[in-house]
Amino acid sequence: MRTIEHPNDRPPGAAFAAARRLLTGFQAWIPVGVVVMAWFLSAPERVVGNRLLGVFLVTVLDLVAALAIRRAARRADLPAGFRAGMRWISAGQAMIALGGLYVLLDAVVRPDSREAFNPADLLFVGSYPAILVGLFSMPRAERPSAGTGRLLVDSLIFVAGVGLPLCFFVVAPGLATASGVFGVVFVIAYPLVTFAGITLLNVILLTRMSVPNRGAFRLLMAAIAITWMADLVYLLDSVHRFTERTAINWTDVLDVFSICLFLFAAARIESERLEKPQAAQPAASSPLPIATVVLVTAWLVIFVANGHPAQEATPLIF
């Protein structure tokens, strides 16, 4: 029988020690991420200097998150599959940081470029297989909370709520304006990889053991989900470019929020007690399908409210 630890039973100073750990090492970057996110939410002026600063800050935070995840993977008492999976996730996050570095250098060399896709997207897209390999390397639960039927139903929800909007609002108009083979390939590949990644992440939530405990594991899954939702917002906007006419770039906000979650998750995975296998069962349900559909629906509302992207009128939302 599992007992619940009462707060008064903890050693003196345990709460202070836990709080201090969050302010040391890589976790000291969490307040930096909060400040950066607040800056993005303040709607800084859309000038080249601010854009370069924003890309630089997000790139540095992505690298810090990759290093924090890598360090958490060194914990010796974690299952070998989970440690290997964390290393793959760290590699995927590092690829995102390298892609950000390319975007930064490209913005300096070609400040007037308005390409929807560029070679940095090779690294961004490449991060998906790396992270997915890591996720599927993690230990599978002996009794998954969802059977094949439930997973198929969730997948159909993703097809209707995510796949079809991507097809109609990203792929179709993107192919009409894509230039060159590279542009055509990425107009198809990037939405496809993002859709597949979010769909498979839902499978992971319902079939993998919650290591080291449910809270830390779900925090890690939430970080990955929000990273890919930020890509979803970017893709929906890549053709219509509504965020260029809004005060706040919500893709940047979501990116920094996900990085803060990665840092929190790494801290908990590195330090919290490992649950027994019978207590580390997967979630009974996943909020990912409904959360993703709500996100796409919100973007469609913005699309309807603002009309054709060629209009010069100020957006009615945000």
Side-chain angles (χ1 to χ4, degrees):
M1 181 176 178
R2 189 181 174 198
T3 59
I4 299 176
E5 182 184 31
H6 191 277
N8 293 334
D9 296 334
R10 295 174 184 171
F16 175 76
R20 185 175 59 184
R21 280 198 300 272
L22 286 177
L23 298 176
T24 59
F26 292 115
Q27 287 68 54
W29 286 86
I30 294 174
V32 177
V34 172
V35 171
V36 173
M37 190 161 50
W39 179 59
F40 284 139
L41 288 171
S42 72
E45 186 180 357
R46 294 295 185 93
V47 296
V48 174
N50 283 345
R51 182 56 187 159
L52 291 176
L53 177 60
V55 174
F56 172 76
L57 292 173
V58 173
T59 299
V60 170
L61 289 171
D62 274 322
L63 180 59
V64 170
L67 294 173
I69 297 167
R70 180 75 180 185
R71 188 175 73 176
R74 297 174 184 168
R75 179 175 170 178
D77 61 339
L78 292 173
F82 187 84
R83 295 201 308 271
M86 289 286 286
R87 289 193 292 270
W88 277 103
I89 294 172
S90 174
Q93 197 67 20
M95 293 175 73
I96 295 174
L98 289 174
L101 180 60
Y102 180 94
V103 170
L104 180 63
L105 295 176
D106 187 60
V108 172
V109 176
R110 300 188 303 162
D112 298 325
S113 175
R114 291 174 60 85
E115 295 175 346
F117 301 100
N118 62 51
D121 292 307
L122 287 171
L123 291 164
F124 296 143
V125 170
S127 70
Y128 278 81
I131 292 174
L132 285 172
V133 168
L135 292 173
F136 279 98
S137 299
M138 293 180 174
R140 184 180 177 88
E142 294 181 3
R143 298 186 301 278
S145 60
T148 304
R150 166 66 184 282
L151 296 176
L152 286 175
V153 170
D154 282 355
S155 298
L156 289 175
I157 293 174
F158 281 115
V159 169
V162 180
L164 292 179
L166 283 174
C167 181
F168 287 116
F169 293 98
V170 178
V171 177
L175 288 175
T177 58
S179 58
V181 176
F182 183 84
V184 171
V185 169
F186 265 85
V187 164
I188 298 173
Y190 209 156
L192 181 62
V193 170
T194 302
F195 168 72
I198 294 175
T199 304
L200 291 173
L201 181 61
N202 185 65
V203 174
I204 294 297
L205 275 169
L206 298 173
T207 61
R208 260 49 189 181
M209 291 178 61
S210 300
V211 178
N213 55 58
R214 289 188 179 183
F217 183 78
R218 291 177 185 177
L219 201 57
L220 178 64
M221 297 301 106
I224 296 171
I226 293 173
T227 297
W228 290 351
M229 286 184 181
D231 279 352
L232 186 58
V233 172
Y234 168 76
L235 286 169
L236 289 169
D237 192 65
S238 61
V239 176
H240 304 283
R241 296 183 180 276
F242 285 132
T243 58
E244 290 189 359
R245 301 184 294 122
T246 58
I248 298 172
N249 189 325
W250 292 99
T251 302
D252 288 339
V253 174
L254 289 173
D255 277 334
V256 177
F257 182 49
S258 70
I259 291 169
C260 290
L261 291 183
F262 271 122
L263 293 173
F264 268 124
R268 294 188 63 174
I269 290 170
E270 187 177 10
S271 61
E272 292 190 0
R273 184 174 58 185
L274 191 66
E275 285 187 342
K276 295 180 179 179
Q278 59 268 29
Q281 295 304 307
S285 62
S286 168
L288 195 54
I290 186 64
T292 309
V293 171
V294 167
L295 179 68
V296 173
T297 302
W299 185 89
L300 291 175
V301 170
I302 297 173
F303 181 87
V304 172
N306 287 279
H308 193 277
Q311 293 177 346
E312 296 298 330
T314 303
L316 301 177
I317 296 179
F318 305 122

